[in-house]
Amino acid sequence: MQKDTTPSIHIMRSQLGRARGLGAAKHGAAHWWAERLTAAALLPLSLYFVLSVLLLKGAGRAAMAAYMGEPWNAVLFLLLIFAMFYHLSMGLQAVIEDYVRKDAKRIAVLMLVKAGIWFLGLAAAVSVLKLAVS
Amino acid sequence: MKDVREALMVGRNSEGKLVRRPLSPHLQVYKPQISSATSIFHRITGVALGAGAVLFTAWLVCAAAGDSAFSVIQAIFASWIGLIVLFGFTLALFYHFCNGIRHLAWDAGKGFELPDMHRSGRLVIGATLVLTVAFWLIAFLVG
């Protein structure tokens, strides 16, 4: 008897779920995109930061305040802070998920690192705003 | 419940006895290559820049806090240890910047051929050194 070679699907998953290809988590590409977008944003922003550091080298506090008092500088620093800490958060998460194996420890380390990143990011942003309006 | 990776490490040998599966050789048996070296340095510099973000924040917070706090942080940055640490951060920043461009090119599907990949790896290392030296030359010689 001829063997039936007609393609057919022998899986429990619905064909719609299979076509969407999102797996059990229902999402997946968002973090990948966010990491690349922040990376792309950080290319000009980090060059701007390097330039700012060279301009502000050895500057006193008054010069810092004057620099941040320029709206463009304050805005670029805020963008830098946002993109940098967002990118850092995702990068450190990937590293932690790779190397910290025990579930409880991994979740604890992730929460601590994310809390620290929120704290640092907000502290940096508030400082820029304070310098900008002082 | 057993960790799934632990559970998969157990198998039966030809006599039907339960044994831990042998591990294949790990990183240390491989000769360092530019592909693996640039990859792990991307990670290391990324984590190092996380520490740099703490210094970055300290710099801004001290500037916002007042004259005395800002003069303290400026003195720390200008000290020998401070300069060595800052030098390390510029190296890490320029490396992660250059190799990040390489990664973005790969994400766009470009530069996967081995000769291209080796060339871009060497280019990243060279550009990192040039940018770092240029930064410190400008910092010391200009203004």
Side-chain angles (χ1 to χ4, degrees), chain B residues 15-99:
Chain B
E15 293 160 6
K17 227 175 83 184
L18 280 179
V19 289
R20 277 184 73 81
R21 293 180 189 282
L23 285 172
S24 61
H26 200 41
L27 283 175
Q28 61 271 21
V29 304
Y30 296 104
K31 197 174 118 192
Q33 294 167 308
I34 195 157
S35 47
S36 55
T38 48
S39 170
I40 194 59
F41 272 118
H42 199 68
R43 255 203 178 180
I44 291 170
T45 52
V47 173
L49 289 169
V54 178
L55 276 192
F56 168 80
T57 306
W59 178 58
L60 290 172
V61 168
C62 285
D67 287 320
S68 56
F70 193 61
S71 59
V72 168
I73 196 103
Q74 290 288 69
I76 291 172
F77 285 156
S79 69
W80 270 109
I81 290 179
L83 285 174
I84 290 169
V85 170
L86 290 181
F87 180 82
F89 281 133
T90 53
L91 202 58
L93 177 66
F94 287 127
Y95 179 82
H96 206 81
F97 179 92
C98 295
N99 203 47

Side-chain angles (χ1 to χ4, degrees), chain A residues 60-121:
Chain A
R61 194 181 163 271
M64 272 287 273
Y67 191 76
M68 297 299 176
E70 297 285 342
W72 289 119
N73 287 328
V75 167
L76 286 171
F77 258 82
L78 288 174
L79 284 173
L80 168 71
I81 289 164
F82 178 76
M84 183 176 84
F85 281 103
Y86 195 178
H87 190 79
L88 179 63
S89 169
M90 285 181 291
L92 287 180
Q93 178 169 356
V95 172
I96 291 162
E97 284 171 346
D98 277 356
Y99 301 137
V100 185
R101 199 167 150 176
K102 287 244 187 309
D103 285 344
K105 197 173 163 194
R106 184 174 62 249
I107 291 166
V109 172
L110 276 175
M111 286 197 293
L112 271 176
V113 165
K114 297 246 165 164
I117 281 171
W118 275 100
F119 180 81
L120 288 174

